Coordinates of all heavy atoms in Angstrom, one line a residue:
Q1 N 0.8 -1.2 0.0 CA 0.0 0.0 0.0 C 0.9 1.3 0.0 O 0.6 2.2 -0.8 CB -0.9 0.0 1.2 CG -2.0 1.1 1.3 CD -3.2 0.7 0.5 OE1 -3.4 1.2 -0.6 NE2 -4.0 -0.2 1.1
E2 N 1.9 1.3 0.9 CA 2.8 2.4 0.9 C 3.6 2.5 -0.4 O 3.8 3.6 -0.9 CB 3.7 2.3 2.1 CG 4.8 3.4 2.2 CD 4.3 4.8 2.4 OE1 3.0 5.0 2.5 OE2 5.1 5.7 2.3
N3 N 4.1 1.4 -0.9 CA 4.9 1.4 -2.1 C 4.0 1.9 -3.3 O 4.5 2.7 -4.1 CB 5.4 0.0 -2.4 CG 6.5 -0.4 -1.5 OD1 6.9 0.3 -0.6 ND2 6.9 -1.7 -1.6
R4 N 2.8 1.5 -3.3 CA 1.9 2.0 -4.4 C 1.7 3.5 -4.3 O 1.8 4.2 -5.3 CB 0.5 1.4 -4.2 CG -0.6 1.9 -5.2 CD -1.9 1.1 -4.9 NE -3.0 1.5 -5.8 CZ -3.9 2.4 -5.5 NH1 -3.9 3.0 -4.3 NH2 -4.9 2.7 -6.3
R5 N 1.6 4.1 -3.1 CA 1.4 5.5 -2.9 C 2.7 6.2 -3.4 O 2.6 7.2 -4.1 CB 1.2 5.8 -1.4 CG 1.0 7.3 -1.2 CD 1.0 7.6 0.3 NE 2.3 7.4 0.9 CZ 3.3 8.4 0.9 NH1 3.1 9.5 0.2 NH2 4.4 8.1 1.4
L6 N 3.9 5.7 -3.1 CA 5.1 6.3 -3.5 C 5.3 6.3 -5.0 O 5.7 7.2 -5.6 CB 6.3 5.6 -2.8 CG 6.4 5.7 -1.3 CD1 7.5 4.8 -0.8 CD2 6.8 7.2 -1.0
M7 N 4.9 5.1 -5.6 CA 5.0 5.0 -7.1 C 4.1 6.0 -7.8 O 4.5 6.7 -8.8 CB 4.7 3.6 -7.5 CG 5.7 2.6 -7.0 SD 7.4 2.7 -7.8 CE 7.1 1.8 -9.3
I8 N 2.8 6.1 -7.3 CA 1.9 7.0 -8.0 C 2.3 8.4 -7.9 O 2.1 9.2 -8.8 CB 0.5 6.8 -7.4 CG1 -0.1 5.4 -7.7 CG2 -0.5 7.8 -7.8 CD1 -1.3 5.0 -7.0
E9 N 2.9 8.8 -6.7 CA 3.4 10.1 -6.6 C 4.8 10.3 -7.3 O 5.1 11.4 -7.9 CB 3.6 10.5 -5.1 CG 2.3 10.6 -4.3 CD 2.5 10.9 -2.9 OE1 3.7 11.1 -2.5 OE2 1.5 11.0 -2.1
G10 N 5.7 9.3 -7.2 CA 7.0 9.5 -7.6 C 7.3 9.3 -9.0 O 8.2 9.9 -9.6
L11 N 6.6 8.4 -9.7 CA 6.9 8.1 -11.1 C 6.6 9.4 -12.0 O 7.5 9.7 -12.8 CB 6.1 6.9 -11.6 CG 6.6 5.5 -11.3 CD1 5.7 4.4 -11.7 CD2 8.0 5.3 -11.9
P12 N 5.5 10.1 -11.8 CA 5.3 11.3 -12.6 C 6.4 12.3 -12.3 O 6.9 13.0 -13.3 CB 4.0 11.8 -12.1 CG 3.2 10.6 -11.7 CD 4.3 9.8 -11.0
K13 N 6.9 12.5 -11.1 CA 8.0 13.4 -10.8 C 9.3 13.0 -11.5 O 10.1 13.8 -11.8 CB 8.2 13.5 -9.3 CG 7.0 14.1 -8.5 CD 7.3 14.2 -7.1 CE 6.1 14.8 -6.3 NZ 6.3 14.7 -4.8
A14 N 9.4 11.7 -11.7 CA 10.6 11.1 -12.4 C 10.5 11.1 -13.9 O 11.4 10.7 -14.6 CB 10.9 9.7 -11.9
G15 N 9.3 11.7 -14.4 CA 9.2 11.8 -15.8 C 8.3 10.7 -16.5 O 8.1 10.7 -17.7
F16 N 7.8 9.8 -15.7 CA 6.9 8.7 -16.2 C 5.5 9.1 -15.7 O 4.9 8.6 -14.7 CB 7.3 7.4 -15.6 CG 8.7 7.0 -16.0 CD1 9.8 7.2 -15.1 CD2 9.0 6.4 -17.2 CE1 11.0 6.8 -15.4 CE2 10.3 6.0 -17.5 CZ 11.3 6.2 -16.7
D17 N 4.9 10.0 -16.5 CA 3.6 10.7 -16.1 C 2.4 10.1 -16.8 O 1.3 10.5 -16.5 CB 3.7 12.2 -16.2 CG 4.0 12.6 -17.7 OD1 4.3 11.7 -18.5 OD2 4.1 13.8 -17.9
R18 N 2.6 9.1 -17.6 CA 1.5 8.5 -18.3 C 1.2 7.2 -17.7 O 1.5 6.1 -18.2 CB 1.7 8.4 -19.8 CG 2.0 9.7 -20.5 CD 2.2 9.6 -22.0 NE 2.5 10.8 -22.6 CZ 2.6 11.0 -24.0 NH1 2.4 10.0 -24.8 NH2 2.9 12.2 -24.5
I19 N 0.6 7.2 -16.5 CA 0.3 6.0 -15.7 C -1.1 6.1 -15.2 O -1.7 7.2 -15.2 CB 1.2 5.8 -14.5 CG1 1.1 7.0 -13.5 CG2 2.7 5.7 -15.0 CD1 1.9 6.8 -12.3
A20 N -1.7 4.9 -14.8 CA -3.0 4.9 -14.2 C -2.8 4.1 -12.9 O -2.1 3.1 -12.8 CB -4.0 4.1 -15.1
P21 N -3.4 4.6 -11.8 CA -3.2 3.9 -10.5 C -3.7 2.5 -10.6 O -4.8 2.2 -11.1 CB -4.1 4.7 -9.5 CG -4.2 6.1 -10.2 CD -4.2 5.8 -11.6
P22 N -3.0 1.5 -10.1 CA -3.4 0.1 -10.2 C -4.4 -0.2 -9.1 O -4.3 0.3 -8.0 CB -2.1 -0.7 -9.9 CG -1.2 0.2 -9.2 CD -1.6 1.6 -9.6
D23 N -5.4 -1.0 -9.5 CA -6.4 -1.5 -8.5 C -5.9 -2.6 -7.6 O -6.4 -2.7 -6.4 CB -7.7 -2.0 -9.2 CG -8.3 -1.0 -10.2 OD1 -8.5 0.1 -9.8 OD2 -8.6 -1.4 -11.3
G24 N -5.0 -3.4 -8.1 CA -4.5 -4.5 -7.3 C -3.1 -4.9 -7.9 O -2.5 -4.2 -8.7

């Protein structure tokens, strides 16, 4: 859960901004 939050926040900041939050 925490890793998901970090990825959703961190990937766009790292330049990978075309993502959708995973359900599972």
Side-chain angles (χ1 to χ4, degrees):
Q1 188 84 255
E2 174 63 7
N3 290 354
R4 174 181 183 261
R5 184 189 69 79
L6 291 170
M7 294 290 276
I8 292 170
E9 291 179 3
L11 281 175
K13 293 177 183 177
F16 300 96
D17 54 0
R18 300 185 183 185
I19 62 173
D23 301 315

